[in-house]
Amino acid sequence: MAEAEGESLESWLNKATNPSNRQEDWEYIIGFCDQINKELEGPQIAVRLLAHKIQSPQEWEAVQALTVLEACMKNCGRRFHNEVGKFRFLNELIKVVSPKYLGDRVSEKVKAKVIELLYSWTVALPEESKIKDAYYMLKRQGIVMCDPIIPVDRTLIPSPPPRPKNP
Amino acid sequence: LGEESEERDDHLLPM
């Protein structure tokens, strides 16, 4: 078990995206999500840290950061969605896939995952209109040729409310 | 007011 006391968002994310992790480490990923929910400015700080990791030249670090981002979208609620739904953060994702910015230096795997996430949010979070603006701009630019197919287990479906026991 | 100005400053990246 990781020691939760004194952990910061940055230290959780460093552990969750450590390039020497042999596989995605869900203890750290969930630790990061929980820390976001505990802190007043958790979502604002988290998206800044995530953007930096997603732009890592190390593919495995970037892939893990995208998994963390996906987990945060599922577990950190509206406050986090609002931060992701700002151009300030969306622009950082656009930079990863656009050849005008970092696109030529980023692996296809990372770019495909970014596009998958953006598309899944346009479907799951229609109220976040800037996500749609960003995604359709990438389509107009020819950076996204066709909508990706999102596996059912990867769609952003909020957990259903718990069923009452023996009503 | 802070939120309004943040909204005004939030632009899509020029392509």
Side-chain angles (χ1 to χ4, degrees):
Chain A
M1 279 291 286
E3 179 56 61
E5 288 297 316
E7 293 281 7
S8 65
L9 280 169
E10 196 168 8
S11 64
W12 279 118
L13 187 61
N14 284 339
K15 288 173 180 168
T17 60
N18 190 336
S20 62
N21 290 343
R22 296 182 73 179
Q23 55 191 22
E24 283 153 342
D25 192 322
W26 284 91
E27 187 182 330
Y28 297 138
I29 295 172
I30 296 302
F32 183 69
C33 294
D34 289 346
Q35 191 66 31
I36 292 172
N37 292 332
K38 278 185 214 161
E39 291 191 18
L40 191 65
E41 296 204 351
Q44 291 95 315
I45 298 165
V47 296
R48 226 169 35 230
L49 296 171
L50 278 166
H52 183 70
K53 294 286 184 190
I54 291 166
Q55 293 173 353
S56 167
Q58 296 189 67
E59 182 189 80
W60 178 224
E61 190 172 37
V63 166
Q64 290 183 101
L66 289 166
T67 303
V68 177
L69 171 60
E70 197 176 4
C72 294
M73 288 298 272
K74 287 184 179 162
N75 296 305
C76 299
R78 192 86 176 260
R79 277 190 332 138
F80 190 83
H81 297 169
N82 288 344
E83 282 311 307
V84 167
K86 289 178 184 168
F87 288 135
R88 182 176 300 155
F89 176 72
L90 294 168
N91 286 342
E92 299 305 317
L93 294 184
I94 291 168
K95 284 180 193 170
V96 172
V97 295
S98 167
K100 192 174 166 187
Y101 294 89
L102 304 166
D104 289 338
R105 282 169 275 161
V106 172
S107 75
E108 290 304 317
K109 186 176 177 179
V110 170
K111 286 191 276 191
K113 192 156 177 170
V114 166
I115 290 167
E116 233 177 60
L117 286 178
L118 281 172
Y119 175 65
S120 70
W121 302 334
T122 65
V123 176
L125 304 168
E127 68 279 14
E128 295 292 347
S129 61
K130 291 179 184 178
I131 296 178
K132 272 191 203 147
D133 291 348
Y135 184 73
Y136 288 109
M137 185 274 284
L138 292 176
K139 278 190 122 175
R140 277 197 309 276
Q141 294 284 326
I143 294 168
V144 174
M145 306 298 262
C146 57
D147 295 337
I149 295 163
I150 309 292
V152 177
D153 66 334
R154 297 275 306 279
T155 49
L156 178 61
I157 302 166
S159 311
R163 285 163 190 259
K165 287 178 198 160
N166 297 325
Chain B
L1 230 144
E3 259 180 45
E4 267 178 41
S5 79
E6 192 187 320
E7 190 64 27
R8 267 200 308 274
D9 294 340
D10 197 32
H11 300 293
L12 193 56
L13 200 66
M15 297 290 278

